[in-house]
Amino acid sequence: MHELSIVLSIIDEIGDQSEALGLKDVETVHLKVGVFSGVDRDALLFAWELACEGTPLEHSRLDIETVPLVIRCAVCHQNRTPPSLYQLCCPECETPSDTIVTGRELEVVSLEVAA
Amino acid sequence: MSTRIVEIRAKVMRQNDLLAHALRERFETSGVSVVGLVSSPGSGKTAFLEKLLSGLARDFRVAALVGDLATENDAARLKRATPNVRQITTGTICHLDAQMIEKALEGWQLDTLDFLFIENVGNLVCPSSYDLGEELRFVMLSATEGEDKPLKYPTIFNSSDVAIITKMDLAEAAEFDVAAARRNIESVRPGMQIFEVSAKTGSGMQRVFQLLRDQLAHSRETRPALQIQTIQ
Ligand SMILES: [Zn+2]
């Protein structure tokens, strides 16, 4: 389970950012996780609870926005959602595509902090 | 108490990606071709790597970093092919990251090498999130694992460059459907190069050596010019 290492990087990142911005009392951390990022949502939430204990983020909540897999079809010239995570082809014309538009994201988007 | 939202937009893997980027530049300027190997446990990765190292060692200077949870057995076995083998023992960590690579390379003269192989911890999930600065990533599955492996782990197959089907000598006995395996790989990563090998009999290895030789020639052609330092 690499989600714990990932959570530790998120905590580091937030620490750096909130120090730079002079923030304290982070209530919610908004995260974007692509379905093709290789990161499991439940494992991430579990690791969050564990890793935040005893840190300034102890009472914070992790909010995860799931980003779907979208590929670019070279034939239709459209962004399409493939039939499944293991069928990377256009649902309309069935052309295979190795161009991934979204689905690999793993980023902190915003923080909700006490005003 | 009211709250406010602060946008921060930060890539979670930023630290690793920055370090991996620096490693990639270092590999390029040193002229060493770096190949990462990922697979599930028991896919025959060490046997394949042993074959690669001993096959290439006749004409090239080769080295390997081997990631493992605990034991050092693999490194000892690979040292029969080249003395340039280092073990990265990760303890409970299920993947290698760029920082571990940087640390493991301390004291190595990269410009005296042609090929460096990085064998990741046996795991088809976690390594997909970590760029190690490698030029090519090989994902391996064995004929004894089943044809549906790519469908179960699409992310790692998609984020690799080359697929290697190993233990082909056992394919018939295991009733392994090669065509189905190829279809599944193609389905998760359209256009992926696929090689069928047996480290035991050596079948298919020549094509992999050829790919690596071509890769080395290509990367040396396109590598950035060496910086010549002049003392003013
Ligand atoms: Zn299409």
Side-chain angles (χ1 to χ4, degrees), chain A residues 36-38 85 88 98 100 104, chain B residues 24 36-38 120 123-132 134-139 150 153-163 185 188-190 192:
Chain A
F36 224 49
S37 65
L85 291 187
L88 267 70
D98 62 355
I100 291 175
R104 283 215 202 280
Chain B
R24 188 165 285 117
L37 305 177
V38 292
N120 217 310
N123 180 345
L124 284 177
V125 181
C126 312
S128 67
S129 299
Y130 295 83
D131 182 3
L132 303 179
E134 67 263 73
E135 193 178 349
L136 281 181
R137 185 174 282 192
F138 287 4
V139 60
Y153 302 96
T155 305
I156 193 95
F157 276 85
N158 188 275
S159 58
S160 300
D161 307 290
V162 174
I185 294 168
V188 296
R189 173 73 141 99
M192 192 175 214

Side-chain angles (χ1 to χ4, degrees), chain A residues 73-77 80 90-95:
Chain A
C73 177
V75 174
C76 307
H77 303 289
R80 305 277 198 196
C90 174
E92 301 295 322
C93 71
E94 297 184 354
T95 308

Side-chain angles (χ1 to χ4, degrees), chain B:
Chain B
M1 195 165 76
S2 61
T3 58
R4 67 188 169 107
I5 294 179
V6 186
E7 280 217 32
I8 64 172
R9 294 270 165 203
K11 288 233 163 85
V12 172
M13 305 307 291
R14 189 174 57 113
Q15 287 304 332
N16 185 79
D17 291 348
L18 284 173
L19 208 48
H21 181 78
L23 280 173
R24 188 165 285 117
E25 281 192 338
R26 208 171 125 199
F27 296 149
E28 272 176 23
T29 30
S30 308
V32 56
S33 206
V34 181
V35 179
L37 305 177
V38 292
S39 80
S40 48
S43 66
K45 192 166 34 160
T46 309
F48 173 71
L49 181 53
E50 191 179 12
K51 210 77 182 170
L52 273 185
L53 291 174
S54 54
L56 291 167
R58 277 175 242 136
D59 305 314
F60 299 100
R61 299 159 301 175
V62 296
L65 295 178
V66 187
D68 216 330
L69 295 173
T71 65
E72 302 218 347
N73 297 343
D74 288 355
R77 181 170 162 193
L78 294 169
K79 276 184 181 159
R80 296 195 297 230
T82 170
N84 303 323
V85 177
R86 282 186 181 175
Q87 179 95 23
I88 305 174
T89 306
T90 60
T92 56
I93 301 172
C94 47
H95 58 267
L96 295 177
D97 64 31
Q99 201 176 0
M100 296 178 202
I101 303 301
E102 191 190 39
K103 197 155 171 278
L105 290 174
E106 267 171 30
W108 261 6
Q109 292 288 105
L110 288 175
D111 54 6
T112 64
L113 294 176
D114 299 308
F115 290 105
L116 169 66
F117 295 93
I118 303 175
E119 181 186 329
N120 217 310
V121 178
N123 180 345
L124 284 177
V125 181
C126 312
S128 67
S129 299
Y130 295 83
D131 182 3
L132 303 179
E134 67 263 73
E135 193 178 349
L136 281 181
R137 185 174 282 192
F138 287 4
V139 60
M140 319 181 47
L141 79 155
S142 70
T144 54
E145 286 178 286
E147 306 82 14
D148 55 349
K149 212 103 221 200
L151 309 183
K152 287 183 183 157
Y153 302 96
T155 305
I156 193 95
F157 276 85
N158 188 275
S159 58
S160 300
D161 307 290
V162 174
I164 311 276
I165 306 177
T166 59
K167 302 191 188 177
M168 280 303 291
D169 54 296
L170 300 176
E172 213 182 307
E175 293 181 28
F176 180 74
D177 185 343
V178 186
R182 285 183 162 267
R183 261 198 317 276
N184 291 341
I185 294 168
E186 175 68 23
S187 171
V188 296
R189 173 73 141 99
M192 192 175 214
Q193 280 200 82
I194 305 168
F195 294 87
E196 295 166 21
V197 308
S198 161
K200 195 172 170 193
T201 66
S203 77
M205 292 302 296
Q206 289 307 326
R207 290 184 57 220
V208 181
F209 293 138
Q210 192 55 49
L211 168 85
L212 291 169
R213 278 195 292 267
D214 292 347
Q215 182 69 27
L216 182 69
H218 173 77
S219 52
R220 290 210 169 147
E221 240 167 62
T222 56
R223 85 195 231 206
L226 288 173
Q227 300 285 321
I228 298 166
Q229 299 212 342
T230 47
I231 298 162
Q232 306 256 326

